[in-house]
């Protein structure tokens, strides 16, 4: 079998799968908000993870880095609460970023038993690059929405999330 025949076969399989999935767009599930938000998140995170791979980051590690670069000096507990992650997941993410020299753990001046996560110069530079990638991923994910619709969506999601 030639490479061209194999490619046509794969294209036909993809088209068939897309048509099969499209049939499901009229199901009750396709109108459930919980499903729609989960699907949108999955598609968006997958796209962003693929694009962030060039920096050896994923959405979760980007999120920790972003908050470390915010100037708020969040504690690991605050990161876990804000990102809705288990504290052990935060420890692993901070460990990875710390090994890369992107963040440091420093004693929290508000509570000496706690550590805050602070971005290094290398971390801030990495964040700037990653932020551009995240903006491009967001533009791709929201390409069917007008600027006004994007702002409306952002406002609605903030009301739900916070």
């Amino acid at each position: 079998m030639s490479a061209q025949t194999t490619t046509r076969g794969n294209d036909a399989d993809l088209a068939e799968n897309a048509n099969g999935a499209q049939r499901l767009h009229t199901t009750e599930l396709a109108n459930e908000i919980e499903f729609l938000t989960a699907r949108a998140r999955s598609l968006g995170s997958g796209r962003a993870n693929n694009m962030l791979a060039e920096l050896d980051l994923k959405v979760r590690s980007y999120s920790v880095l972003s908050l470390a670069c915010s100037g708020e000096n969040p504690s690991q507990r605050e990161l876990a609460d804000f990102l809705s992650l288990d504290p052990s997941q935060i420890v692993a993410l901070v460990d990875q970023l710390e090994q890369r020299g992107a963040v440091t753990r420093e004693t929290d001046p508000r509570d000496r038993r706690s550590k805050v996560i602070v971005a290094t110069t290398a971390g801030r530079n990495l964040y700037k690059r990653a932020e551009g990638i995240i903006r491009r991923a967001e533009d791709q994910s929201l390409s069917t929405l007008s600027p006004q619709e994007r702002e409306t969506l952002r406002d609605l999601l903030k009301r739900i999330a916070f």
Side-chain angles (χ1 to χ4, degrees):
M1 182 180 291
S2 73
Q4 189 172 12
T5 305
T6 304
T7 302
R8 275 196 210 124
N10 290 341
D11 289 346
D13 290 343
L14 290 173
E16 184 178 323
N17 288 340
N19 289 336
Q22 194 163 5
R23 289 183 321 106
L24 302 178
H25 290 194
T26 59
T27 63
E28 286 184 35
L29 180 65
N31 284 312
E32 293 177 9
I33 290 175
E34 292 297 331
F35 168 77
L36 291 169
T37 55
R39 181 169 165 82
R41 177 176 183 239
S42 177
L43 293 170
S45 292
R47 176 179 286 112
N49 282 338
N50 285 337
M51 294 172 74
L52 285 168
E54 71 182 67
L55 299 179
D56 195 27
L57 290 173
K58 292 192 173 190
V59 170
R60 285 183 174 184
S61 53
Y62 166 80
S63 298
V64 170
L65 181 60
S66 175
L67 292 169
C69 289
S70 71
E72 295 297 327
N73 297 342
S75 69
Q76 292 184 155
R77 169 64 61 195
E78 289 171 321
L79 290 171
D81 291 345
F82 187 78
L83 298 174
S84 296
L85 295 174
D86 186 87
S88 65
Q89 293 172 304
I90 294 298
V91 169
L93 292 166
V94 172
D95 284 349
Q96 291 169 0
L97 290 169
E98 192 172 41
Q99 288 169 5
R100 293 181 69 170
V103 300
T104 60
R105 288 177 169 100
E106 298 180 6
T107 301
D108 185 344
R110 301 166 295 180
D111 179 358
R112 296 188 51 76
R113 297 168 295 168
S114 182
K115 299 288 185 185
V116 293
I117 309 307
V118 180
T120 63
T121 299
R124 287 188 292 278
N125 291 335
L126 177 61
Y127 170 69
K128 286 177 190 173
R129 293 175 59 203
E131 183 184 29
I133 290 171
I134 288 294
R135 298 295 157 243
R136 287 193 304 276
E138 181 178 293
D139 282 344
Q140 288 179 21
S141 292
L142 303 178
S143 65
T144 61
L145 301 180
S146 70
Q148 180 59 41
E149 289 170 325
R150 290 179 189 202
E151 283 310 307
T152 299
L153 176 61
R154 191 178 323 277
D155 290 343
L156 291 171
L157 290 171
K158 281 178 155 180
R159 284 175 50 195
I160 294 167
F162 304 117

